[in-house]
Amino acid sequence: SKTGFSSTVDGTLVAEISGNTVLVVTQQEKKPNRNQVKVKLEERVKAFEEKMNVKANKDDKSSMEAEIVRSLLPNVFPNKEVHTTVIFTDEYLLVESGSPKKAEDIVSMLRSVLGSLQAIPLQTVKSPEEVLGSIIVKNTTEFLMGEKIVISTDNGSQKGKSSFAKDNVYDQETKRLVNSGSFVDTIQLGLEDTLFTIKADLSISGIKFSKSFLSEVDKSDEAGSFILKMGEIELLVAELVETMGGIVE
């Protein structure tokens, strides 16, 4: 795979936008066709076993597969590029990624490129499970309930996940589960003009903005839209951190 940097919304590789530093990390992978690799591996294994008169073991097969992949890569077209926006604020490093693992990989790459990068996963004073559970049981926060809740249960003989959608998020069963020791794994919440989904590990996904909010800038104004959304996400993160008692020093 190849990793590099692409232009930001203002056309530069490193942008200063509303007091924040913005980068766009671009990743591109080349992967040979699986079936092609499988066929060639079977042929290679068969030839090896006939010549050596022994069965190919796991290490032999892994080594052969690696050689096959390397030989095919020069003729493989790159997959679609994946662009990840990274925002450095005064307090946070925000990474727009499909999963926490991918975000960690991006941070590790930046740390390697920059030589040093003091960034650790967000840790709050209050337990996220506790706060998200209290939103269901007795919401005294600024957040509104959305249309999705996933509650995890691990009480001895009872293990599993319970999902609630749309009007069912207000079902008394959600409160009963939380009060009996289960914890909120995933919940959709709303804050003013923003709807989002948050997990117990504090990863945020599915961010949606209201039409009235987005109408504040012209649709063709890419930079303006980015600044508007970035500001709203900053407010969202700040509100979440405050609700959870602040950051662990």
Side-chain angles (χ1 to χ4, degrees), residues 26-42:
T26 300
Q27 295 173 302
Q28 189 179 62
E29 289 190 341
K30 294 175 69 176
K31 292 183 178 180
N33 181 278
R34 290 183 180 180
N35 290 330
Q36 190 176 10
V37 173
K38 182 180 178 181
V39 170
K40 286 186 175 294
L41 179 59
E42 290 173 350

Side-chain angles (χ1 to χ4, degrees), residues 10-231:
D10 72 351
T12 62
L13 292 179
V14 181
E16 294 295 330
I17 302 175
S18 300
N20 299 324
T21 301
V22 180
L23 302 173
V24 176
V25 177
T26 300
Q27 295 173 302
Q28 189 179 62
E29 289 190 341
K30 294 175 69 176
K31 292 183 178 180
N33 181 278
R34 290 183 180 180
N35 290 330
Q36 190 176 10
V37 173
K38 182 180 178 181
V39 170
K40 286 186 175 294
L41 179 59
E42 290 173 350
E43 293 173 351
R44 186 79 64 89
V45 169
K46 182 179 179 181
F48 172 87
E49 292 178 343
E50 289 177 350
K51 180 179 179 180
M52 304 303 293
N53 198 30
V54 294
K55 283 287 186 182
N57 60 35
K58 185 177 180 180
D59 290 339
D60 291 329
K61 292 178 181 179
S62 295
S63 178
M64 292 179 203
E65 184 175 2
E67 290 178 5
I68 292 169
V69 169
R70 282 196 295 270
S71 69
L72 292 174
L73 279 177
N75 298 316
V76 174
F77 287 105
N79 292 342
K80 182 180 179 181
E81 292 182 343
V82 177
H83 302 288
T84 302
T85 299
V86 181
I87 304 171
F88 294 79
T89 74
D90 289 338
E91 296 182 85
Y92 313 112
L93 176 61
L94 305 176
V95 182
E96 178 197 28
S97 180
S99 71
K101 174 62 171 61
K102 290 181 180 179
E104 283 292 334
D105 290 343
I106 292 292
V107 173
S108 295
M109 185 277 294
L110 289 173
R111 186 176 287 116
S112 176
V113 170
L114 298 174
S116 175
L117 179 59
Q118 295 183 347
I120 60 173
L122 181 64
Q123 291 181 296
T124 54
V125 174
K126 295 180 181 178
S127 161
E129 292 94 336
E130 175 189 341
V131 174
L132 297 180
S134 69
I135 290 176
I136 291 176
V137 176
K138 187 178 181 180
N139 190 5
T140 57
T141 72
E142 295 294 322
F143 298 101
L144 302 175
M145 295 273 283
E147 296 186 335
K148 177 184 178 181
I149 295 175
V150 178
I151 298 177
S152 292
T153 301
D154 188 1
N155 297 330
S157 60
Q158 290 187 319
K159 293 184 178 181
K161 293 186 177 183
S162 303
S163 299
F164 302 86
K166 297 187 177 179
D167 291 342
N168 289 332
V169 299
Y170 298 101
D171 194 290
Q172 289 299 312
E173 179 64 7
T174 60
K175 295 182 180 180
R176 187 195 69 77
L177 285 169
V178 172
N179 286 329
S180 65
S182 299
F183 70 91
V184 179
D185 178 88
T186 306
I187 185 170
Q188 186 183 55
L189 298 173
L191 180 68
E192 297 182 4
D193 294 302
T194 311
L195 193 66
F196 64 98
T197 299
I198 182 170
K199 296 179 70 68
D201 63 4
L202 292 180
S203 60
I204 299 172
S205 62
I207 300 177
K208 299 178 181 178
F209 303 97
S210 68
K211 290 182 179 180
S212 59
F213 175 74
L214 295 176
S215 67
E216 293 182 23
V217 296
D218 192 277
K219 289 183 179 180
S220 62
D221 186 357
E222 186 178 355
S225 295
F226 179 83
I227 293 172
L228 191 68
K229 293 175 182 178
M230 182 176 66

